[in-house]
Amino acid sequence: MVACARQARQKPMEERRKYPRTEINEPAFVSAGGSVMSCVVRNISFEGAAIDVANPAFVPAHFRLVMARDSSVRECSIAWIQRNRIGVSFVAAPQPRQPLQQPKESEEAGV
């Protein structure tokens, strides 16, 4: 009972983020140095996200987060780790997937 009374008197944790997070629970990939690891993006905002991975020990301090749905890429750095969840900060704006360019007819003909 004392613990419940103490919790009721505590102030709620102050939100320090500039941008609200949106819950998305979407599959994605952590990509760095030629290796790729699957993950799930639990929530995302303009400047960061929270991802779940099988083993955070294998995630480098800086990596690319590739969304499975649309292949968009974000450069990330780790802000915090709690068990299998990693908080990341985006270091650059999202990069849309680059479409494959078809060779021009003159290039196909060897001209």
Side-chain angles (χ1 to χ4, degrees):
M1 187 75 170
V2 174
C4 292
R6 190 177 315 139
Q7 287 177 347
R9 289 189 305 233
Q10 290 178 344
K11 293 180 182 178
M13 195 166 93
E14 182 181 333
E15 180 62 60
R16 298 183 326 193
R17 296 181 185 118
K18 289 187 223 174
Y19 303 99
R21 296 255 169 134
T22 303
E23 299 291 324
I24 62 170
N25 297 318
E26 290 188 17
F29 301 96
V30 170
S31 173
S35 64
V36 177
M37 173 191 309
S38 63
C39 68
V40 176
V41 179
R42 296 298 180 189
N43 61 55
I44 194 165
S45 75
F46 180 73
E47 57 185 21
I51 64 172
D52 285 349
V53 296
N55 189 342
F58 295 117
V59 178
H62 299 281
F63 61 91
R64 288 187 172 139
L65 181 65
V66 182
M67 300 301 292
R69 177 179 41 111
D70 61 2
S71 298
S72 62
V73 177
R74 293 187 185 246
E75 298 289 331
C76 299
S77 63
I78 293 178
W80 53 263
I81 299 175
Q82 292 179 349
R83 294 191 182 109
N84 287 18
R85 183 156 296 178
I86 300 176
V88 301
S89 297
F90 298 141
V91 246
Q95 301 169 4
R97 182 176 168 224
Q98 298 296 321
L100 294 175
Q101 294 183 357
Q102 298 295 325
K104 296 178 185 173
E105 288 181 30
S106 61
E107 291 174 351
E108 287 178 350
V111 177

